[in-house]
Amino acid sequence: MEALLPSSRPLRADARRNREALLAAAREAFLTGEADAHVEEIARRAGVAVGTLYRHFETREALVEEVYRQEVDELCAAPAELLDRHAPDEALRRFLLLLVEHAAVGKGMAVALESIMATDSPIFDDARTQMAQALDQLLKAGTAAGTIRGGVGGRTLLRALGGICGMHATEGWQDEAVRITAILFDGLRFGAQNAG
């Protein structure tokens, strides 16, 4: 199930604040590993009644989905800012590291996300599509600048990162993932240097 969408009218200011407080409380609970936090506890932390939570989110799963959706939206908004502040290859490098960090943070949400894995929610497909598009944006900019090799798409690069981040059950995995990501990035740059 998806988060309840308000009618065509925007949320009143107090309702918007309540929704934001609920999402912030849920996000904090899920990301710190409190995936089993009950809706009553999330509502209490947000300073609202449980009924208010259910006015915004029909189910706990809808709340989990919206928290994850926000995480992905924030992550996938980063390429435009990175390209404004850095050369395309540096922007790509930084975004690859953000994806590794996202995987580490997502580890805290993993149990909460399990509750929606059995549903017909398109959220994971949507997230992969958004991340691949963000990578495509950076890859195209790097290729146009001549600093990143062509012929590599965002989906392919995302699959490679998925393999790297898939070792998250191993102690110290994040440090190793950062090192392997640096090797992957060097390969993307090396290909561009040899193409000219």
Side-chain angles (χ1 to χ4, degrees):
M1 296 227 170
E2 292 187 25
L4 291 179
L5 297 176
S7 64
S8 59
R9 297 180 317 166
L11 289 175
R12 293 183 334 256
D14 62 330
R16 188 175 52 255
R17 277 191 306 273
N18 288 343
R19 179 180 171 80
E20 289 168 3
L22 286 163
L23 287 167
R27 181 182 192 169
E28 181 181 336
F30 300 152
L31 294 179
T32 58
E34 297 177 60
D36 60 347
H38 296 283
V39 291
E40 294 83 2
E41 176 61 18
I42 291 169
R44 185 191 66 72
R45 289 180 187 181
V48 301
V50 175
T52 300
L53 184 145
Y54 283 116
R55 271 193 293 284
H56 290 281
F57 306 99
E58 191 173 297
T59 63
R60 183 178 188 281
E61 290 74 22
L63 177 61
V64 171
E65 274 190 39
E66 189 59 26
V67 168
Y68 184 69
R69 186 173 286 113
Q70 275 190 345
E71 287 289 309
V72 171
D73 287 348
E74 287 175 19
L75 175 69
C76 292
E81 180 182 324
L82 289 170
L83 285 168
D84 283 345
R85 298 175 71 189
H86 305 284
D89 57 335
E90 179 61 14
L92 176 61
R93 186 188 74 77
R94 287 173 182 253
F95 188 68
L96 292 173
L97 294 175
L98 284 175
L99 287 170
V100 171
E101 186 179 311
H102 172 75
V105 169
K107 185 178 176 190
M109 271 197 77
V111 175
L113 289 170
E114 284 176 9
S115 68
I116 58 174
M117 286 181 188
T119 69
D120 60 357
S121 172
I123 192 160
F124 298 114
D125 288 337
D126 293 348
R128 280 188 291 275
T129 297
Q130 274 185 272
M131 289 180 209
Q133 289 171 345
L135 284 165
D136 279 335
Q137 178 184 1
L138 292 161
L139 288 165
K140 285 177 188 170
T143 301
T147 56
I148 299 294
R149 66 182 284 176
V152 178
R155 283 214 179 265
T156 301
L157 191 50
L158 188 60
R159 283 189 185 110
L161 279 171
I164 293 168
C165 294
M167 56 188 202
H168 67 303
T170 309
E171 183 73 29
W173 77 270
Q174 192 172 356
D175 291 335
E176 192 166 356
V178 167
R179 286 191 295 277
I180 296 169
T181 300
I183 294 167
L184 178 65
F185 175 70
D186 285 346
L188 290 168
R189 288 190 315 165
F190 181 78
Q193 294 166 355
N194 287 334

